[in-house]
Amino acid sequence: DSGVTQTPKHLITATGQRVTLRCSPRSGDLSVYWYQQSLDQGLQFLIQYYNGEERAKGNILERFSAQQFPDLHSELNLSSLELGDSALYFCASSANPVGAIEAFFGQGTRLTVV
Amino acid sequence: TQLLEQSPQFLSIQEGENLTVYCNSSSVFSSLQWYRQEPGEGPVLLVTVVTGGEVKKLKRLTFQFGDARKDSSLHITAAQPGDTGLYLCAGASWGSNYQLIWGAGTKLIIKP
């Protein structure tokens, strides 16, 4: 158990809809990262938050947004969903924003857009 | 743009054989991590290396950080079916604003 909790574990929705994925980081970790992983692909970095503020953006679509709340949990919002958005979405947290960053991953949310 | 190239992309070998997976870059990293991911699960951190030339051992797995901190290798001795998975390397450096730069992964299958 990594200590990172993601909900829901599975999500099936229709094209055009909007969903929210939730992540609770490990206790004490201030950094949260969101990743997308399509079938048999590597991890695509979407966005990072550190202590409530956006720290870095990766290949995140304009239809996607995220935020980190004062209690450090984070949400990833995906809107106007397309079939190609079907993927595993992972959240990771780390204690160190610099130096030897060690990321601890949640179990992921499997999103299926039909 | 910093890149981490992993090789091979795919490796299928028999139980008991040895193998090495490589993670190479033209950039210097302050630290490098190796993760293993099983299907449908999140990546799990195996090791972090921070010093050039550093060697770390985790049972049958040996990790090495290059002297120049630009590359790393993962060597598995006497591979077992339980070693099957996707192996990912990730590096962090000031040049990337301490973002984790990820390799594309090596898919390893160990056949009994």
Side-chain angles (χ1 to χ4, degrees), chain B residues 64-82:
Chain B
Q64 184 164 7
F65 202 12
D67 291 341
R69 304 209 311 275
K70 293 182 179 181
D71 54 82
S72 181
S73 63
L74 157 60
H75 182 78
I76 300 180
T77 303
Q80 298 178 1

Side-chain angles (χ1 to χ4, degrees), chain A residues 11-79:
Chain A
L11 197 51
I12 301 174
T13 190
T15 55
Q17 295 299 304
R18 172 189 169 95
V19 297
T20 297
L21 312 183
R22 182 188 169 101
C23 170
S24 293
R26 288 190 319 161
S27 177
D29 284 358
L30 299 180
S31 276
V32 169
Y33 306 78
W34 285 99
Y35 292 91
Q36 180 191 59
Q37 188 177 41
S38 300
L39 189 63
D40 287 337
Q41 299 292 313
L43 292 170
Q44 296 297 318
F45 169 64
L46 296 178
I47 197 163
Q48 180 202 2
Y49 280 83
Y50 176 72
N51 202 19
E53 294 189 2
E54 182 184 303
R55 185 179 177 90
K57 263 186 175 181
N59 299 320
I60 187 167
L61 300 173
E62 287 190 7
R63 300 184 285 108
F64 296 0
S65 65
Q67 54 185 328
Q68 186 179 28
F69 295 86
D71 66 354
L72 301 178
H73 91 271
S74 178
E75 293 181 354
L76 178 66
N77 301 296
L78 314 176
S79 61

Side-chain angles (χ1 to χ4, degrees), chain B residues 18-32:
Chain B
N18 302 331
L19 66 108
T20 302
V21 175
Y22 299 93
C23 182
N24 295 307
S25 177
S26 58
S27 303
V28 176
F29 291 96
S30 61
S31 69
L32 195 139

Side-chain angles (χ1 to χ4, degrees), chain A residues 9 33 35 37 40-43 45 48 55-56 88 90 97-108 110, chain B residues 30-31 33 35 37 39-45 47-48 50 86 88 92 94 97-100 102-104 107:
Chain A
K9 193 167 176 61
Y33 306 78
Y35 292 91
Q37 188 177 41
D40 287 337
Q41 299 292 313
L43 292 170
F45 169 64
Q48 180 202 2
R55 185 179 177 90
L88 271 168
F90 288 106
V98 296
I101 300 171
E102 295 180 336
F104 293 86
F105 284 78
Q107 294 284 335
R110 182 176 292 280
Chain B
S30 61
S31 69
Q33 292 88 40
Y35 296 78
Q37 183 181 22
E41 303 289 326
V44 175
L45 178 66
V47 76
T48 299
V50 297
L86 179 68
L88 296 157
W94 177 247
N97 195 23
Y98 282 108
Q99 291 307 304
L100 280 176
W102 290 86
K107 190 168 184 178

